Amino acid sequence: PARGGACASTTADAGAPRGHRISFGEAAGAMPLIYLLMLACAAGLAAFVYRYDLCRREPWYMVALAVGLGFTVMWMAGAVEDLVFACFPALRVTVGPKAALVDVTETAARLVMVFTVATLFRSRFTVPLDGLMYGTLGGLGMAIEESLL
């Protein structure tokens, strides 16, 4: 019997040479495909939200603006989090304060994003459900930024 129990022979059973590990080059070669698939899923979700908007449909450039603004405010929220953690290293010690800071920062960023769209593009913000629409699309932009960076 092999050492290490049942888990010791899983790489040999999978057809890979014994002890074979994926190199950095192999993993890096797969990353563009992973990012492309992630962006395709994001585009599909945006199209789904846009398609089932039961009120007056938003123009495509407002959809792109909401996603881009979500991406931008998430990047800014990450910079704020890094700054706070650098100034107060004690917050990094336990999970609770770290999670609270991240939650408050990212929620505030999402509110800023929707408020910005509602204020600067008031003519396009016609019904209360538009806040939900722009909030969802901004959240999608935030998720894209979190996945890429």
Side-chain angles (χ1 to χ4, degrees), residues 69-105:
L69 198 54
F71 187 96
T72 303
V73 297
M74 185 63 168
W75 178 81
M76 290 172 27
V80 168
E81 291 164 5
D82 290 342
L83 181 66
V84 171
F85 285 136
C87 292
F88 302 102
L91 291 175
R92 289 181 174 251
V93 175
T94 59
V95 175
K98 190 187 308 185
L101 174 69
V102 168
D103 178 50
V104 168
T105 307

Side-chain angles (χ1 to χ4, degrees), residues 7 18 62 125 135 142:
C7 295
R18 188 160 183 83
M62 289 300 294
F125 205 90
M142 294 173 95

